[in-house]
Amino acid sequence: ITLPRATGTCTRCPIECRLSRTDTSWSCEVYLRVARQPAEIQFGTPITDKTEVQERIRRAQQAILNPSRPTSDFIHAQPLIIEQNEHSFSRDLISVRISGRDVDDLSFVDLPGIITSVRQGGHEADIKEVENLVMSFITKPSCLILLVVSCETDIENQGARQLARRVDPNGERIIPVLTKPDRIEPAVHATWVRLLENQQEYFKHGWFCVKQSNQQQLDDGISWAEARRNEIEFFEHTAPWSGLDDNIRRHLGTRTLTHSLGSILFQLICNRLPSLYQEVLRKLQAAKDAIAQLPKKLEGDPVGILWNLLGVFQRDVAQLVAGRPEDGAQGLLQLFHRYRLQFREAIFNQAPQFRPYVKKDHPLSDYKHKSMVSDGEQLEPTTQDPSTLVFLDEVMDVAANAITRELPANYPYAVKKAYVARFTAKWPPPAQVFFEKIERQFLKELKELVAIHFGQYAAGGLEKAILEIILTQLKICSTKTQGKMAECVALEHEEPMTSNEGYLAHYKTQFLASYKAYYKHPILGDRQSSTYMRNVIDNLAKMGITHNETDLLLRLFPINTSDPTIAEAAISIMAEVRAYYQVAFKRFVDYLAMIIDFNLLKGLDRTIYDALFTGLSLGKYNVRERASNFLKEDPDISRRRTILDQDLERFTNARLEFENIPDVRLSEFSDDDNKDDDDDTDTDADSLPSRKDFIPRIIASRSPSPISPKVVVREPATIARSTIRPLPAVVPIRTVNAGQILWNQHGSGANYGGIEEFEAVEVCEEIGVLYC
């Protein structure tokens, strides 16, 4: 067959050729392997005429380079004219499958040539793209690198050598080949001859040189046999090639290159079989693990499956609302408790901070208030908000101005009610913040549960439908919750009231004593530094009265104001208002938390079943059809599952084929022997298409020149004693080292016209003699 040929860079995507010997007539199929598709795309019908292959490959490459257009446009278009491709190069691959009776089992990939510059209007990024594309193939340790060097261009300007050396510094897999020797200028032949002699740049397998047909000969339809005759004639009659030593001439011509490639490939395959087997095992296990991580594929009655999914989802929502200890600090109920404490702190910090002294005498900047603690309970906010400060003279003014028909020394109840209303009016904003925090966290958790339970059914719209129902029902519960919260706030604003009279009296006593203590008396001064106060405390202690009870004495102290009566009344108002706030704010915090928990969290849990049943229309006549549509699997997951199933089948077959190789103990290969290849073998196993691409096969054929037998690939079980074509003269038994191939002739002497039987054996140090 002939691959597409043209001036300049012709190959713009990888072209994989898989050759396979079969008992059928010659045929060729072309496939496209596109990264965005889970399976290969067959490009056209099978070909039985070899002359059609070149055009089919050319069209396939155009389809690869123009991915936005349907592939059918390139198969049937007459003629195919593309003025400007969408891409200059592509990693997508063309796979050419050729089979027939006269076809050898072999695979090779034609890659774009390395470029160092682009034409005007081209893309500089193409240089790196081509390099990365080539590197993705030649880094595979089971890949032979046919390094093609054109003799019509300075070798230093051809970058493929550096790439090949980078991935294979020892040259174990590199076979350098000189092409176009007919275009060498006469004065520079010596440079290329030194390369061919492996002197100027050494490679383990040496340099080869071939001469292919020119474009005119190809256009004229030159045959393969005629091309080879022309090549032999060129090297035999053209200087300096005709005058080279025999050991150098063995590296001239396509046939010698073919035979050498076969030998090198065979040895590489033998060396790589154990590590490839290990890699296949790893890939097989990786495919199994990946399949296990995919959502389980559903089978059975779609209605029953849907009900089961909804039941499990509802159960998890109930568990979320009940609390999940394993969630830790970021769990819903854990955050609920944390937000409730933050809400309590916010309401507590809004408590009125009464100051039992005249404002002008004690500016805020100079005052340091002592925190009150009673029975371990903090009674004063730790932060000072100027808006919550109320001074004695302010309370006195409000009380005096509120008097209407009251008797002397009596002040309206409305004064206390006004102060209570003033400070409880600040409760709604913190309550709303508390609610919104819980609502956001609840919504976040619900969305995660919906994604976990129904994410794989997004294609059928089930995930979207469930989420919409949850959002609608959550909104209903949120509206109800906020209504209940508003009622609670309204009750606190309506009228001060409590049945906790004992707590109210206790707190009033505490605050009243504290306010009197902090009111500075001109004689006693500060109770902590006053000599009088220390003496009183000492005497009381002798009488058996403890230190904590001394605050009760402070109520006996007269108030030092121009109007002691109104001052005492003002301090009493301050103490009672502050005591009521202490009782009311605790009640409010508890009620708000209970309302949010009962109406929002538990409310959704109570109503979710009916909401899902109604929202999904599960009671209607076409429920089975609707359930089937809902349960459609996500296309990405389906594609992933298909690819993994194909990988599982491919690697399972590969493992069986490895294990069927006779007399080869692959299990004895240790991880230590393979450690150097662990990082490089991933792509090798991925590229194993079938058994025939890697099982050794031996073929010996007669050559016009005295060269070694050709070694390529074939199943070993049928070749222990194989009938083959005639070989030159006698191939004697010789001493070999481990890993080399020993050829032994059986039967009588040489017979160029008849048939000889040969046997190929491999000598191995660990196992002994193996029949290949």
Side-chain angles (χ1 to χ4, degrees), residues 346-355 364 380-381 383-391 394-395 419 422-424 426-427 515 574 577-578 581:
I347 299 298
F348 179 60
N349 287 334
Q350 291 181 351
Q353 299 188 53
F354 291 109
R355 297 293 181 251
L364 180 62
E380 290 288 347
T383 59
Q384 291 190 18
D385 182 358
S387 66
T388 62
L389 291 174
V390 182
F391 294 90
E394 295 175 343
V395 178
Y419 276 115
R422 170 182 168 183
F423 287 98
T424 57
K426 299 180 179 181
W427 288 357
Y515 292 158
M574 294 163 61
V577 170
R578 183 62 185 84
Y581 190 96

Side-chain angles (χ1 to χ4, degrees), residues 342-480:
Q342 294 173 0
F343 170 55
R344 184 188 189 282
E345 186 69 14
I347 299 298
F348 179 60
N349 287 334
Q350 291 181 351
Q353 299 188 53
F354 291 109
R355 297 293 181 251
Y357 44 79
V358 178
K359 181 177 181 180
K360 66 182 182 63
D361 294 337
H362 298 275
L364 180 62
S365 60
D366 296 335
Y367 177 74
K368 294 183 179 178
H369 183 64
K370 181 179 178 181
S371 297
M372 290 182 58
V373 178
S374 175
D375 298 329
E377 179 184 4
Q378 185 76 28
L379 297 181
E380 290 288 347
T382 55
T383 59
Q384 291 190 18
D385 182 358
S387 66
T388 62
L389 291 174
V390 182
F391 294 90
L392 179 61
D393 54 332
E394 295 175 343
V395 178
M396 293 171 59
D397 290 342
V398 172
N401 294 332
I403 296 176
T404 57
R405 298 178 182 273
E406 287 77 11
L407 293 175
N410 288 278
Y411 298 94
Y413 170 70
V415 176
K416 299 175 184 178
K417 184 177 179 181
Y419 276 115
V420 169
R422 170 182 168 183
F423 287 98
T424 57
K426 299 180 179 181
W427 288 357
Q432 186 65 25
V433 170
F434 177 32
F435 167 78
E436 290 177 355
K437 284 183 177 180
I438 293 299
E439 184 186 39
R440 282 197 300 269
Q441 183 64 27
F442 195 28
L443 177 59
K444 175 178 175 291
E445 297 278 3
L446 290 172
K447 285 182 175 180
E448 290 178 357
L449 284 179
V450 171
I452 291 172
H453 288 274
F454 308 106
Q456 70 180 103
Y457 310 109
L462 181 60
E463 181 185 21
K464 181 181 178 182
I466 295 291
L467 185 58
E468 289 178 350
I469 293 171
I470 294 298
L471 292 177
T472 300
Q473 192 61 27
L474 182 62
K475 185 176 180 180
I476 293 173
C477 294
S478 297
T479 302
K480 183 177 180 181

Side-chain angles (χ1 to χ4, degrees), residues 2 11 58 63 267 269 303 451 540 569 598 604 658 709 717 724 744:
T2 303
T11 303
R58 187 176 71 87
Q267 189 59 53
I269 290 172
V303 178
L540 289 173
F598 182 79
L604 180 73
F658 270 114
I724 55 181
N744 182 18

Side-chain angles (χ1 to χ4, degrees), residues 175-386:
I175 298 91
V177 181
L178 301 177
T179 63
K180 302 179 181 178
D182 53 322
R183 301 188 184 182
I184 301 176
E185 296 292 334
V188 295
H189 271 103
T191 300
W192 300 102
V193 171
R194 283 196 299 272
L195 278 176
L196 192 60
E197 293 173 346
N198 213 16
Q199 295 179 3
Q200 181 170 321
E201 187 170 352
Y202 177 81
F203 282 92
K204 177 179 179 179
H205 303 295
W207 288 76
F208 292 82
C209 183
V210 298
K211 178 190 177 299
Q212 305 300 335
S213 303
N214 58 38
Q215 189 62 48
Q216 183 60 50
Q217 291 172 324
L218 293 172
D219 294 341
D220 293 340
I222 188 172
S223 67
W224 171 261
E226 185 178 358
R228 300 286 68 77
R229 286 194 296 270
N230 292 344
E231 183 183 38
I232 294 172
E233 182 178 353
F234 173 81
F235 285 122
E236 289 183 351
H237 299 92
T238 305
W241 320 108
S242 59
L244 296 176
D245 294 339
D246 288 344
N247 61 331
I248 304 300
R249 287 180 53 79
R250 293 194 184 100
H251 287 252
L252 300 178
T254 301
R255 292 187 182 276
T256 60
L257 173 62
T258 302
H259 295 166
S260 297
L261 283 175
S263 300
I264 297 169
L265 177 61
F266 177 81
Q267 189 59 53
L268 177 65
I269 290 172
C270 290
N271 294 338
R272 289 285 299 154
L273 277 179
S275 59
L276 283 175
Y277 176 69
Q278 295 295 323
E279 181 61 23
V280 165
L281 294 182
R282 286 194 291 270
K283 290 289 185 180
L284 179 60
Q285 187 59 47
K288 292 179 179 179
D289 294 342
I291 291 175
Q293 293 175 2
L294 290 177
K296 185 178 179 181
K297 191 173 183 179
L298 300 179
E299 297 179 356
D301 178 36
V303 178
I305 293 173
L306 182 57
W307 273 114
N308 182 63
L309 290 173
L310 294 176
V312 174
F313 172 69
Q314 186 181 359
R315 181 197 64 195
D316 284 357
V317 171
Q319 184 62 45
L320 172 67
V321 172
R324 299 181 303 205
E326 65 274 12
D327 288 348
Q330 298 303 313
L332 177 64
L333 265 293
Q334 291 87 334
L335 288 173
F336 182 87
H337 292 313
R338 193 183 312 164
Y339 295 153
R340 181 177 60 83
L341 292 176
Q342 294 173 0
F343 170 55
R344 184 188 189 282
E345 186 69 14
I347 299 298
F348 179 60
N349 287 334
Q350 291 181 351
Q353 299 188 53
F354 291 109
R355 297 293 181 251
Y357 44 79
V358 178
K359 181 177 181 180
K360 66 182 182 63
D361 294 337
H362 298 275
L364 180 62
S365 60
D366 296 335
Y367 177 74
K368 294 183 179 178
H369 183 64
K370 181 179 178 181
S371 297
M372 290 182 58
V373 178
S374 175
D375 298 329
E377 179 184 4
Q378 185 76 28
L379 297 181
E380 290 288 347
T382 55
T383 59
Q384 291 190 18
D385 182 358

Side-chain angles (χ1 to χ4, degrees), residues 710-722:
K710 176 184 177 184
V711 183
V712 287
V713 177
R714 184 178 176 188
E715 296 183 16
T718 61
I719 199 63
R721 295 178 61 87
S722 177

